[in-house]
Amino acid sequence: MLEISDLSAGYDGIPALRSVDFRVGPREHVAILGPNGAGKTTLLKAISGTVVPDSGSIRFDKRDLLAQAPHKRVEAGIVHVPQGRMIFASMTVADNLRLGSHRAAAQNRHDERRELVFEIFPALADMLGRDGGALSGGQQQMLAVARGVMACPRLLMLDEPSMGLAPRAADDIFEGVTRLMQSETTAMVVVEQRAHQALEVCDRAYVLESGEVSLEATSRELLADERLAAAYLGSEL
């Protein structure tokens, strides 16, 4: 589905990704792990089109993604939920969700997708009339993920969904993501610092270090091999 080859990218001449190879198959759930500054967010931005790579290729359904503008990538089904709870604070929860279904493939499925959102994050059902800015941090993150779900994505990318949240709120987010994975056939990429939880819900993982892929393995392999866990994930496991 998604095939990345020899991808390099950076900012103002400073490299953030170096010759990265990365793939996601249909219906596959892939974790991207690694320390801060490893290039994880840059990789997602290169896929969604907000960072222009210096070299390499990105193909989605065998089509050249680098030739597509960011909005065209959304229409193709690539939906990026960035870190930082990027919701519309002055708009209600209901309107935030409605904006999520602007993609052509989702416009006629608004009610159906909203019911799915309520299954994933039941708490949102009682908040439809509240402004996004009035929600707690955890609730805002639920709304950010839910808005992405509303778009009927074929590839959903979540960047640090637990970042800055209290442990209980982060657990609630992961419970919702797990329910989403169980109920949908959407391929997903999850960037996450809570490595153990990410591995528990994903099929495979890539570990990035200093902009390079230092390890690609199945989640089962990483969780089962103490030497791999100690070498690549440290105290996270």
Side-chain angles (χ1 to χ4, degrees):
M1 178 183 239
L2 179 72
E3 293 282 348
I4 295 176
S5 178
D6 200 27
L7 188 73
S8 295
Y11 306 92
D12 298 324
I14 300 173
L17 297 174
R18 299 179 178 88
S19 301
V20 168
D21 294 333
F22 181 82
R23 63 183 174 85
V24 181
R27 305 186 180 187
E28 191 175 29
H29 305 140
V30 177
I32 304 177
L33 310 175
N36 291 333
K40 305 183 299 294
T41 292
T42 302
L43 179 56
L44 296 196
K45 288 182 175 180
I47 296 168
S48 63
T50 56
V51 164
V52 178
D54 298 319
S55 61
S57 66
I58 306 177
R59 303 188 71 82
F60 188 66
D61 285 345
K62 300 183 178 180
R63 292 178 294 181
D64 180 12
L65 209 59
L66 296 181
Q68 302 292 321
H71 72 278
K72 292 291 187 181
R73 303 184 197 196
V74 173
E75 283 302 320
I78 298 173
V79 175
H80 181 186
V81 179
Q83 59 181 241
R85 296 167 236 160
M86 303 291 286
I87 63 167
F88 293 97
S90 62
M91 297 177 63
T92 65
V93 169
D95 285 340
N96 269 274
L97 294 177
R98 189 171 293 107
L99 278 177
S101 59
H102 73 280
R103 179 175 169 247
Q107 290 177 1
N108 294 327
R109 300 179 62 187
H110 176 270
D111 292 346
E112 167 198 335
R113 299 303 289 181
R114 200 168 78 162
E115 288 305 310
L116 173 62
V117 161
F118 295 159
E119 292 176 15
I120 298 167
F121 298 121
L124 290 180
D126 297 324
M127 303 177 185
L128 292 176
R130 295 176 63 182
D131 286 347
L135 306 183
S136 68
Q139 291 165 347
Q140 288 183 10
Q141 188 60 64
M142 289 181 188
L143 179 57
V145 175
R147 191 176 60 193
V149 172
M150 291 293 295
C152 298
R154 298 180 58 223
L155 174 64
L156 179 63
M157 304 189 298
L158 306 179
D159 192 357
E160 301 278 13
S162 72
M163 185 179 70
L165 299 181
R168 180 57 208 167
D171 289 342
D172 290 342
I173 294 296
F174 268 96
E175 288 173 10
V177 170
T178 300
R179 285 192 287 268
L180 174 63
M181 290 178 171
Q182 292 171 344
S183 62
E184 285 275 273
T185 60
T186 303
M188 292 181 64
V189 175
V190 181
V191 169
E192 183 52 54
Q193 290 290 339
R194 292 169 58 138
H196 192 280
Q197 284 182 290
L199 290 171
E200 285 183 336
V201 300
C202 290
D203 305 305
R204 289 189 302 113
Y206 289 81
V207 180
L208 290 183
E209 293 181 302
S210 301
E212 299 179 345
V213 175
S214 60
L215 177 69
E216 176 190 353
T218 67
S219 296
R220 182 174 297 181
E221 288 169 340
L222 271 172
L223 289 168
D225 192 318
E226 293 181 359
R227 292 173 299 177
L228 285 177
Y232 291 100
L233 304 177
S235 61
E236 286 299 323
L237 288 176

